[in-house]
Structures are given as structure tokens and as C-alpha cells.
Amino acid sequence: MLRERGKAVLLAANKVDAKEGREGVSQFHALAVDTIHPVSAEHGTGVSELLEAIVARIPSPAGAGEATEEKDAALPRIAVVGRPNVGKSTLVNTLAGFERVIASEVAGTTRDAIDVLVERDGRRYLLIDTAGIRAKRKTEGAVEIFSVMKSLDSIKRCDLAILLIDGPAGLSHQDRQVLRYILDEERAVVVAANKADGWTSEEARRKGLHAIAEGLEYASFAAVVPTVATSGKGFQPLFRKIEEASANFRLRVPTGLLNRMAQSFLYTVPIPSPQGRNRAFYITQVGVAPPSFAVFVKDRRGIPDSFTRYLQNKIRDRFGFEGSPVRIVYRER
């Protein structure tokens, strides 16, 4: 019946946690479907893969106006991400000036990524409120799995991510994991240390912010701003850092200036290589969002990550790029 109506079909074979269920999956090949998704609705086995297949087949909304899409595309897209119950929805509501999304002390209240248009100091932003991202082993049920998938997708489609953390609680392992998702997608990032009114003294606040900055490791280029989402305290410096990071995400360095600077940190420095002597001849910026630099070398094989980080740090020392990742690619001359 579904085929007669020309509908897309996904076949899910449930109860594969039982031996009989696993053995019975093969019989569904007789239906001549492309892929069979073995799942266990009770235990969540295979549900993530099924949801990914569903999302991949959902068409874009019909009748969406091209002018509206172009207008939205010009707005800075900012995803508010973090683990559950750190104040993401409260931050978005305070900025919007009304309760656009449900905020609650109960972790996991937000289940979907919600776009909210806000205006601040004459500048418009599209904020994306997201569901809290927990460690995979703690994720419960198909709904939460789907919510986390939507949050990760929001990171992919944003220009900049606000990593919201519980400031007084410090940078947790899960905060670092969410930060890793942001870095993997090469998005600009600002860290908001929320609930800053929870620090009992200025000294505790200073030490707490220093510990958070130290814990960012390879994302040390990200600014850390204390905020109180319930009152809006700290929003002014937060948006200054958002503007800086957004500008740096699209910053382009003139090739002449870049190569003059590179005389001291690239052309005279040998590149570690298992193939023997290696060196760089030329560097140029080949893209923005994120800023991307191509380094022309004798041999691009085996260049260690430590040398790439060295280059990134030297470029930052000269040109800033606070809040933005810097991509390095190697090409042979």
C-alpha cells in the first residue's frame, strides 16, 4: 500500500534484544527494502541509527520563501549549547524579553532546537536554544537521543556557539566534551560562565574564571565571560565577545602582510618530518568561516599535529583571531 502511494519507507525490525528477534531479521529481506533497521524499542538498541535515517529523509518545508531564507542567512546564527540545567533556556528568554522557551530546574526540559530572533544594541541575532547534551552512556530513551542529535545539528548550522557552563561548579568533563563537538565542527565559540552570582567572593570568582580558562586547553582562544542568565548581568561583555569572535571568524589577512610575518616563524623553521628535511615555501589564506590557511611545503606527508598547533599559535600571536578556530592545510609545491 505504501509503495502504491509512492511513500518513502523505512523498515524497523523490533525486539532484536531477544535471540528470536535477531534471527528473524533476515526474513524481512523478502520485502525487497533497501535497508532493515534492527531495533529494540525497550532498550534503545539501534534507535539512534534509525532516527538518523529518518532525519536524513525529512524534506525542507514546502513553500519557504527564498527572500526569507536569504534574510535569515545574513543573520549571525548563535547556538546556545551545554549540558543539561546550566541555564540555556533562561538565557534565551532573558535576551528575548519574554518566555519564548520553557525554562525549568528540571534537567532535560528542552527537547528540540528552537530558533529565537533577538535584537540587541541595534543588531539582530538568531539564537538557537538547544537540548542539554549528556554523555552517551547517560542518555535515556529515543526522545533524548533525538534531542541530542538535534543539538549537535545546531552546532553544525551555527556561525558561533555559546558554550554555557555552571561557573561556580567549574568546567566538567561533559563541558569539555561539548566543547570538543564545537571544535570538531570548527565553529567560533565564546564560553559563558553562568550562575556567576553563586561565587561567594570576588577572589573565588577570579580563581574560578582562571581555572575555567586553564581547562579549555586547545580552545584557549575562546573568551570566558561570567553571566547571570536570570538577571541579564554580564550580557553586555558577552555580546562584545560574540561580536569580536564573529568578526574574527570572517577575518581575512592580506597575503603580503601574512608572508612578511611568516619570515620569522615559518620559512626559517624546519618542519619535523619522518621523510627527512622538509620546509615551507609559501602561505596564503584560502578561506574564512573558519579562517583557513594553505601552507605550501616540500612534502605534506607526516607533518605532526604539534607543528600545526605551533603555526596556529603564531598566526594568533600576530593577527588575533580570538574566539575563532584557525584551519591549516598543507599542499605540495
Side-chain angles (χ1 to χ4, degrees), residues 23-49:
E23 293 176 347
V25 169
S26 60
Q27 66 180 309
F28 292 103
H29 288 292
L31 297 176
V33 293
D34 293 334
T35 305
I36 299 172
H37 296 273
V39 300
S40 169
E42 183 176 358
H43 298 101
T45 305
V47 173
S48 178
E49 291 80 3

Side-chain angles (χ1 to χ4, degrees), residues 2 47 49 56 75 78 80 91 116 126 138 142 145 151 159 169 184 188 238 246-247 268 277 280 300 313 317 329:
L2 291 172
V47 173
E49 291 80 3
L75 294 174
I78 301 173
V80 184
L91 182 142
V116 181
L126 193 65
K138 294 183 178 180
I145 292 171
S151 296
D159 302 303
D184 287 346
L238 174 64
S246 296
T268 58
R277 291 181 61 83
R300 66 178 183 177
N313 290 335
D317 288 345
V329 296

Side-chain angles (χ1 to χ4, degrees), residues 153-181:
D153 181 66
S154 296
I155 295 174
K156 291 181 181 180
R157 65 188 181 95
C158 77
D159 302 303
L160 178 145
I162 298 174
L163 174 61
L164 200 67
I165 68 172
D166 185 324
L171 197 68
S172 69
H173 172 76
Q174 188 55 26
D175 293 328
R176 290 188 179 91
Q177 184 57 53
V178 178
L179 179 60
R180 173 52 55 191
Y181 292 139

Side-chain angles (χ1 to χ4, degrees), residues 10-269:
L10 292 175
L11 179 60
N14 194 24
K15 302 185 179 180
V16 296
D17 47 329
K19 180 180 178 181
E20 295 81 1
R22 291 193 298 273
E23 293 176 347
V25 169
S26 60
Q27 66 180 309
F28 292 103
H29 288 292
L31 297 176
V33 293
D34 293 334
T35 305
I36 299 172
H37 296 273
V39 300
S40 169
E42 183 176 358
H43 298 101
T45 305
V47 173
S48 178
E49 291 80 3
L50 176 61
L51 287 172
E52 288 178 359
I54 292 171
V55 171
R57 287 164 173 76
I58 297 176
S60 300
E66 292 183 6
T68 301
E69 290 178 1
E70 291 176 3
K71 186 177 179 180
D72 287 346
L75 294 174
R77 303 180 70 89
I78 301 173
V80 184
V81 298
R83 56 190 174 88
N85 206 27
V86 291
K88 297 182 295 298
S89 296
T90 301
L91 182 142
V92 172
N93 285 336
T94 303
L95 284 170
F98 60 96
E99 190 165 312
R100 174 65 177 81
V101 291
I102 300 173
S104 170
E105 290 297 319
V106 178
T109 301
T110 302
R111 290 298 194 182
D112 199 359
I114 301 171
D115 292 3
V116 181
L117 185 64
V118 301
E119 184 171 335
R120 188 169 183 88
D121 298 328
R123 181 92 157 105
R124 297 175 66 182
Y125 305 88
L126 193 65
L127 296 186
I128 309 170
D129 183 35
T130 65
I133 302 173
R134 297 201 294 174
K136 286 185 178 180
R137 67 181 183 278
K138 294 183 178 180
T139 305
E140 300 175 353
V143 173
E144 185 173 2
I145 292 171
F146 183 75
S147 298
V148 170
M149 287 172 56
K150 293 286 286 183
S151 296
L152 297 180
D153 181 66
S154 296
I155 295 174
K156 291 181 181 180
R157 65 188 181 95
C158 77
D159 302 303
L160 178 145
I162 298 174
L163 174 61
L164 200 67
I165 68 172
D166 185 324
L171 197 68
S172 69
H173 172 76
Q174 188 55 26
D175 293 328
R176 290 188 179 91
Q177 184 57 53
V178 178
L179 179 60
R180 173 52 55 191
Y181 292 139
I182 298 169
L183 297 180
D184 287 346
E185 295 298 334
E186 297 182 298
R187 302 295 93 182
V189 59
V190 174
V191 179
N194 197 34
K195 306 183 182 181
D197 51 349
W199 275 303
T200 55
S201 66
E202 183 58 32
E203 178 67 11
R205 177 178 176 274
R206 186 187 63 79
K207 288 183 177 179
L209 292 173
H210 179 74
I212 292 168
E214 288 287 308
L216 295 178
E217 299 176 347
Y218 294 147
S220 58
F221 58 84
V224 181
V225 183
T227 60
V228 182
T230 52
S231 66
K233 187 176 181 180
F235 282 10
Q236 195 70 27
L238 174 64
F239 272 82
R240 278 201 303 271
K241 291 301 180 182
I242 287 172
E243 284 295 322
E244 289 177 17
S246 296
N248 289 333
F249 194 54
R250 290 175 168 77
L251 178 62
R252 189 175 290 276
V253 179
T255 299
L257 176 60
L258 179 62
N259 277 276
R260 285 196 297 273
M261 293 291 187
Q263 293 288 345
S264 62
F265 67 82
L266 180 59
Y267 301 147
T268 58
V269 177

